[in-house]
Amino acid sequence: MLKIGIILGSTREGRLSPQVGEWVKALADKRGDAEYEIIDIADFKLPLLGEPGQDASGAAAWTQKVGSCDGFVFIVQEYNHSITGALKNALDYVRAEWNDKAAGIVSYGSVGGARAAEHLRGILGELSVADVRVHPALSLFTDFENGSVFKPKDVQATSLGQMLDQVISWSTGLKTIRK
């Protein structure tokens, strides 16, 4: 069975990504087509890559976790028109473990996190990750109550299902070319 990691892309206090990740996992688990796991980058010790004298004791576990997955769903929040520095740093910590895998993106922000998702697509391309087309874009104004409690519109579940269909299809195909 495929293993799909749902990566929470923020480590900031007060972040909303755990709520979105739990929603993705709950709907994904009902499908029965893969093993879905929430992967919170905040659980790994990943100091700024290349910064001397830092505790990078979580790097080996991060590398193993990414390597164990066949595909990914990134929960991406838009900060300053891009992804978080923590997510970029986590992406940069490993290389080969990302290669020839598929990814979907669930983003949120004032414009649905669209700009962050587009930045992430460029990074994923460089890591040889095939990102899928369907992209649930959640609005802080319509999918979150008071900007803090996740209450997605019904259409978002449909979009998520379509995205997961693509992630599963691409992950299945790409698994055949990985060594």
Side-chain angles (χ1 to χ4, degrees):
M1 183 171 274
L2 292 174
K3 184 173 180 184
I4 306 297
I6 301 167
I7 297 179
L8 304 185
S10 176
T11 58
R12 291 185 181 187
E13 190 172 325
R15 63 197 171 135
L16 302 174
S17 57
Q19 293 178 61
V20 178
E22 289 295 337
W23 171 75
V24 169
K25 186 173 183 333
L27 293 178
D29 283 345
K30 291 178 184 177
R31 298 166 54 93
D33 56 1
E35 177 187 333
Y36 295 91
E37 176 186 5
I38 292 177
I39 302 171
D40 189 345
I41 59 176
D43 292 340
F44 298 85
K45 286 188 181 279
L46 299 174
L48 190 59
L49 185 62
E51 200 169 88
Q54 297 298 313
D55 176 8
S57 59
W62 173 247
T63 300
Q64 188 279 327
K65 182 60 73 178
V66 171
S68 73
C69 293
D70 297 301
F72 307 94
V73 174
F74 287 90
I75 309 301
V76 181
Q77 40 294 327
E78 184 172 314
Y79 294 135
N80 300 321
H81 292 211
S82 191
I83 63 172
T84 65
L87 178 57
K88 178 63 168 94
N89 190 54
L91 287 163
D92 289 345
Y93 255 90
V94 295
R95 177 73 182 169
E97 291 77 10
W98 295 116
N99 296 169
D100 300 324
K101 296 180 182 181
I105 300 169
V106 176
S107 65
Y108 64 89
S110 60
V111 291
R115 296 168 292 211
E118 289 308 307
H119 281 180
L120 180 58
R121 288 182 194 283
I123 297 164
L124 293 176
E126 185 60 27
L127 295 171
S128 296
V129 175
D131 60 285
V132 302
R133 184 187 65 80
V134 177
H135 161 213
L138 308 166
S139 170
L140 284 175
F141 304 114
T142 60
D143 293 305
F144 292 84
E145 188 175 277
N146 298 320
S148 62
V149 178
F150 185 50
K151 295 194 177 200
K153 300 293 180 209
D154 291 341
V155 69
Q156 300 295 4
T158 301
S159 182
L160 176 64
Q162 293 168 347
M163 183 207 67
L164 290 172
D165 288 344
Q166 292 180 346
V167 168
I168 293 301
S169 177
W170 280 87
S171 293
T172 300
L174 288 169
K175 189 171 185 172
T176 66
I177 66 169
R178 284 197 311 275
K179 297 173 177 122

